[in-house]
Amino acid sequence: MTDALATLYRLLYDGVLSRLPEPAAVAFGQTALRLLPFDRLGAFRLDDPRLAITLGGVRLPNPVILAAMYYDVRILGRAMGLGFGAVTAKSITTSPRPGHPAPNLVRVRTPAGPGLVNCNGFANPGVERFRAAVAALPHRVPLIVSVAGESVEDYVGLARALGPHGDLVEFNISSPNTKLVYAWSERPAELRALMQAARGATSRPLIVKVSPDFADVNERVIIPAALDAGVSVVNYGNTRRVAEPRLSQGAGGLSGPEIFEATLNNVRRTRAAFGDRLQIIGTGGVDAPDKAVRLLDAGATAVSYFTGFITRGPILARRILEALLRRA
Ligand SMILES: Cc1cc2nc3c(=O)[nH]c(=O)nc-3n(C[C@H](O)[C@H](O)[C@H](O)COP(=O)(O)O)c2cc1C
């Protein structure tokens, strides 16, 4: 059944979705997610107590997380019934942002498989509208709220406003598409102050999401500073910055299987360097069950993905969970 659904989705993706212009494919996918009650079909889920983990002190029914991309609570609610152990909302900023003009998302065919390059630029409704919407969202599985800003005050205010509506709070300091966030890794000393201030702003467990483009500074400065501030979960990581002339900004963040090997190495190195003091979410390039297994074997506490949700469909989470049970 699972394999049949995976094959069906691959036919839909290769035959239809990957041939539509990107904006039309995005609109089609998001409309389908909003309208069709896939989450009521048990086929996408797999409940088994052997899969449960604890992340930042919060119990997740399994270690497979939907990475940050959606802020529409209808989609977040739907995703909570599609097998994930937690769902991450898109990064929210203090004020609403339209994001970068189109084209802001293109597909890429990489040697490792289909990927995306985006320069979304944090299109989001801003904290007040998002807070009103998310307050009504039931948490069938834990919700990770993600925040992004350009000052310590931004992060503190966002954590204070959204903390009560999330089970964990993720600090995005790594999206490569705006100076807004990407520049934090170039100012690691200020980042230390940021994490300390933010720690006091919410009682929720904190996650810091780092960039694969700054491995040295992450492991030398940012992760130790996070641990000192009481942030013991690292999401490693975000997209990799690449030149992409088709995008309005001439560059964007690469996601999908081309970045998987780097994710694996980053997780393995970080686990070896920090041992049990840290929990690690491995993100970047997971689009098949064996990749999730390899990340967990390399020391990840949990894995998350977004591009695989698009290219391999909503059945991927269940296929990963089946592989984890076979290995249990
Ligand atoms: C269109 C798009 C929008 C994204 N928006 C966010 C965001 O708001 N915040 C964030 O932390 N990551 C964002 N990401 C990054 C993903 O959460 C993830 O870290 C990245 O895509 C690598 O994982 P993947 O290869 O499984 O997609 C976005 C990715 C894409 C493709």
Side-chain angles (χ1 to χ4, degrees):
M1 171 71 162
T2 320
D3 289 346
L5 283 171
T7 308
L8 260 179
Y9 186 86
R10 204 170 274 224
L11 290 173
L12 173 72
Y13 186 79
D14 291 345
V16 182
L17 291 177
S18 70
R19 288 164 203 255
L20 290 172
E22 283 88 344
V26 170
F28 177 91
Q30 297 200 5
T31 304
L33 274 169
R34 277 188 204 103
L35 297 182
L36 303 176
F38 297 115
D39 54 325
R40 297 213 196 122
L41 303 173
F44 292 99
R45 291 193 296 276
L46 186 54
D47 299 318
D48 189 305
R50 286 174 295 168
L51 294 168
I53 63 157
T54 302
L55 187 70
V58 176
R59 184 185 181 280
L60 271 55
N62 67 65
V64 180
I65 300 172
L66 181 65
M69 154 60 195
Y70 299 115
Y71 61 76
D72 182 329
V73 294
R74 286 169 295 177
I75 296 180
L76 295 171
R78 190 80 77 207
M80 286 177 174
L82 293 177
F84 295 105
V87 165
T88 315
K90 185 174 183 59
S91 302
I92 299 298
T93 53
T94 305
S95 304
R97 287 175 60 96
H100 289 312
N104 50 33
L105 178 73
V106 290
R107 296 184 198 94
V108 281
R109 289 254 151 223
T110 70
L116 301 170
V117 184
N118 88 87
C119 65
N120 176 281
F122 293 118
N124 81 93
V127 67
E128 280 319 317
R129 269 181 51 207
F130 180 71
R131 176 163 65 170
V134 80
L137 176 69
H139 296 193
R140 281 197 268 177
V141 297
L143 176 72
I144 302 172
V145 291
S146 168
V147 298
E150 51 193 323
S151 66
V152 172
E153 294 70 38
D154 274 349
Y155 282 92
V156 167
L158 288 161
R160 201 167 275 146
L162 294 182
H165 304 291
D167 298 282
L168 299 103
V169 178
E170 183 164 277
F171 282 81
N172 178 1
I173 55 158
S174 47
S175 285
N177 302 313
T178 60
K179 264 290 180 195
L180 169 75
V181 156
Y182 200 56
W184 281 108
S185 299
E186 292 157 4
R187 307 197 305 263
E190 288 173 55
L191 210 47
R192 175 177 286 270
L194 183 157
M195 288 189 285
Q196 274 165 353
R199 177 60 294 173
T202 174
S203 58
R204 296 290 191 243
L206 300 182
I207 304 167
V208 61
K209 184 170 182 182
V210 298
S211 166
D213 298 340
F214 292 96
D216 174 59
V217 85
N218 288 337
E219 292 154 42
R220 206 166 30 79
V221 189
I222 297 177
I223 296 174
L227 284 168
D228 286 350
V231 180
S232 63
V233 187
V234 167
N235 185 343
Y236 213 144
N238 219 305
T239 53
R240 176 198 292 163
R241 187 172 165 86
V242 293
E244 177 47 77
R246 289 176 293 167
L247 291 175
S248 67
Q249 308 303 299
L254 172 66
S255 58
E258 186 71 7
I259 64 173
F260 175 75
E261 290 300 327
T263 307
L264 186 63
N265 289 331
N266 293 338
V267 166
R268 188 175 289 127
R269 250 190 354 263
T270 304
R271 176 58 69 211
F274 295 93
D276 290 346
R277 287 181 294 155
L278 199 65
Q279 291 195 299
I280 306 169
I281 304 171
T283 307
V286 172
D287 66 351
D290 68 295
K291 291 182 181 156
V293 170
R294 286 171 70 198
L295 282 179
L296 293 167
D297 285 345
T301 314
V303 298
S304 85
Y305 60 85
F306 170 68
T307 304
F309 185 65
I310 302 300
T311 58
R312 305 301 182 214
I315 197 62
L316 177 58
R318 178 167 174 145
R319 292 180 62 229
I320 294 174
L321 299 178
E322 287 176 352
L324 295 183
L325 279 182
R326 281 196 296 275
R327 151 186 178 275

